[in-house]
Amino acid sequence: CGDLTSVGTEDNLAVYKDYVDTYSPNTPVYAIAGNHESYAEDWSQNGEEVVKSRIETYTGKPLYYSFTYKNDVFIMVGVCRDGADFGIGGLQWLYETLEENRNKRCFVFQHIRPDDACGNAYGIYTNDIWNGTQSIVFESLLKHYRNAIFFHGHSHLKFN
């Protein structure tokens, strides 16, 4: 569920890809980007496009995508720059994907949970990573589509 690297440099992502290629050569890995994959970029330039391209190059998948396994749909929602990229276009894509699969069980994987209360280990994040509108729309979609089961990362906690 994201944060595949420490700081998202090309070298970091190459290490990630080498690890997956070495230890999972015959098993598919469905990764999504987290905010750490955006740290290395200068956002005053074309950072968003660089991050999207790099994610696709090293994971083999775009920023957000879905796939079906048997009769279940897996919806993978990556983020770019602390959730800022998941705006109108991403929310529209999510709506269309959920609507198209409204009669199937959908597993939605996203890195940063809106209203970051449960993804904010020890309260270390002081800013609102999502803007209010994005958060409201995202959570409304998940509440509306009762067939969706939501998973997120970002907490940086180790679970036993």
Side-chain angles (χ1 to χ4, degrees), residues 64 83-93 130-131 134:
Y64 36 88
D85 184 63
F86 197 58
I88 302 302
L91 290 169
Q92 182 67 31
W93 173 84
W130 290 63
N131 75 36
Q134 288 175 334

Side-chain angles (χ1 to χ4, degrees), residues 64 85-98 130-131 133-139 141:
Y64 36 88
D85 184 63
F86 197 58
I88 302 302
L91 290 169
Q92 182 67 31
W93 173 84
L94 179 61
Y95 161 72
E96 290 169 0
T97 304
L98 288 168
W130 290 63
N131 75 36
T133 303
Q134 288 175 334
S135 180
I136 291 167
V137 172
F138 185 83
E139 288 187 350
L141 286 171

Side-chain angles (χ1 to χ4, degrees), residues 15-32:
V15 169
Y16 165 80
K17 184 175 180 343
D18 287 345
Y19 188 89
V20 170
D21 290 348
T22 299
Y23 295 103
S24 189
N26 301 311
T27 304
V29 174
Y30 298 95
I32 59 173

Side-chain angles (χ1 to χ4, degrees), residues 70-88:
K70 297 189 178 176
N71 198 38
D72 294 329
V73 179
F74 294 81
I75 301 170
M76 314 300 279
V77 184
V79 297
C80 186
R81 192 179 183 197
D82 288 346
D85 184 63
F86 197 58
I88 302 302

Side-chain angles (χ1 to χ4, degrees), residues 1 3 6 10 12 33 35-36 49 51-52 65 73 95 98 100 107-109 114 117 119 135 139 144 150 153:
C1 278
D3 288 352
S6 295
E10 200 139 358
N12 277 175
N35 58 308
H36 282 232
E49 293 309 312
V51 169
K52 285 179 179 180
Y65 60 96
V73 179
Y95 161 72
L98 288 168
E100 179 180 319
F107 297 92
V108 179
F109 293 84
S135 180
E139 288 187 350
H144 177 75
F150 179 58

